[in-house]
Amino acid sequence: MRATERSHSFCPSDDSNVIEGTVTRVAQGLACTVVRMRVGERTDLMARWPCSNGERTDFRVGERIRALIPVESVRLEAGWFRRGQARWNRWIGRIVLVQGKPPDLLVSVKVYGEAWTLRGQGPVVGAAACPQTWDTVNIIVDPQAVRLIHTIRRAKVTPWESLDAPVGKEEDWQVKLHGRIEGVRSYHGNVLLSLGIGHVKVSALVSDPETGAVWWRPGMPVEIHMGRFEARVNPEGAPDRAVECRLAYHW
């Protein structure tokens, strides 16, 4: 399933893998949007789609979301790790279930070190015989085949925490991030704050330069409040000093 064929009315079905994770990075370029999410204990999943196809781009760092991966988009290759396109999702796993007969196989695989599984459709490339339970395989997923949707609720995730909102009003949800200022400098008449939020690097552009010399200092703990269409930053514990800002996430 190509990214340009995805619809906003897409819903999970028996032919899709549904995986929940936490957004760790967001990059919006001129040609495409890339979202990276942490799934399970240590696995990263990347989704990518063209900016021209109307897909939602309002995903935020620290947000809990779901990834939908069609079974036909999960490619399995026999053996241990093989080199391939670095821009694709690649993991090592073991087969835990084989259903059907060649060539109409449905193979369930468990990613090493994780509790979740993926289902892939079709043959295991490079396998000398019909795949068997406990066979080691490479798992490859094209980032353009991954569809992302918001979850109904956002769970508390260190070092981020969700702000509660009434169920059913997803557009009112906000995320509150705790970070620390790593640098302060002037940028075209504005103040550019370099922030560290856990392992994520974030830049916050504050359009009120008068506050730059008074409030912001390297090492200062801050809070970032993100709504669907705006973001504000303030010194930790001082919500009365919140000012609007524009955020950028770094890879």
Side-chain angles (χ1 to χ4, degrees):
M1 180 181 293
R2 296 184 179 274
T4 53
E5 296 173 349
R6 288 179 284 185
S7 167
H8 290 283
S9 61
F10 181 86
C11 295
S13 69
D14 291 340
D15 295 324
S16 294
N17 298 281
V18 182
I19 305 172
E20 188 167 317
T22 303
V23 177
T24 57
R25 292 176 181 173
V26 179
Q28 297 182 18
L30 296 177
C32 67
T33 298
V34 180
V35 174
R36 188 180 295 272
M37 59 187 288
R38 174 57 57 89
V39 181
E41 295 295 328
R42 60 180 66 89
T43 303
D44 290 326
L45 172 66
M46 181 171 57
R48 181 174 62 245
W49 61 90
C51 295
S52 59
N53 75 340
E55 194 76 14
R56 297 181 68 163
T57 60
D58 57 340
F59 299 101
R60 304 294 187 187
V61 172
E63 176 184 3
R64 293 290 291 181
I65 62 174
R66 289 192 180 100
L68 310 180
I69 307 174
V71 294
E72 64 269 18
S73 298
V74 178
R75 176 184 171 92
L76 302 177
E77 296 179 355
W80 288 86
F81 181 77
R82 297 180 178 179
R83 292 186 179 274
Q85 298 186 46
R87 297 175 64 86
W88 284 38
N89 297 292
R90 301 183 68 90
W91 312 295
I92 293 292
R94 283 191 182 277
I95 295 175
V96 295
L97 180 65
V98 179
Q99 298 172 281
K101 296 181 179 180
D104 299 321
L105 290 176
L106 186 62
V107 181
S108 298
V109 292
K110 180 179 180 295
V111 178
Y112 273 138
E114 302 289 359
W116 50 277
T117 61
L118 285 173
R119 290 173 298 132
Q121 188 177 53
V124 175
V125 178
C130 183
Q132 302 292 324
T133 302
W134 297 112
D135 284 353
T136 299
V137 291
N138 282 266
I139 307 167
I140 302 99
V141 175
D142 184 349
Q144 293 194 81
V146 181
R147 160 87 170 164
L148 302 180
I149 60 173
H150 292 280
T151 56
I152 297 177
R153 286 185 174 274
R154 297 179 181 176
K156 184 173 181 179
V157 183
T158 304
W160 309 285
E161 65 182 49
S162 303
L163 300 180
D164 291 334
V167 176
K169 293 187 177 181
E170 184 180 348
E171 66 276 10
D172 294 331
W173 287 87
Q174 290 186 333
V175 174
K176 179 181 177 182
L177 292 77
H178 296 277
R180 188 174 298 274
I181 297 178
E182 297 182 349
V184 181
R185 65 184 179 92
S186 298
Y187 182 79
H188 296 291
N190 301 309
V191 176
L192 184 64
L193 306 178
S194 298
L195 308 176
I197 305 175
H199 298 292
V200 178
K201 303 301 180 183
V202 178
S203 293
L205 185 64
V206 179
S207 58
D208 185 2
E210 295 181 0
T211 66
V214 180
W215 293 353
W216 316 118
R217 294 284 190 276
M220 173 187 290
V222 295
E223 300 172 352
I224 300 176
H225 302 262
M226 297 193 306
R228 184 171 179 179
F229 301 108
E230 65 178 4
R232 294 177 179 270
V233 61
N234 60 267
E236 191 171 67
D240 57 315
R241 294 186 178 183
V243 294
E244 291 188 2
C245 66
R246 298 178 63 184
L247 301 177
Y249 311 102
H250 304 284
W251 290 88

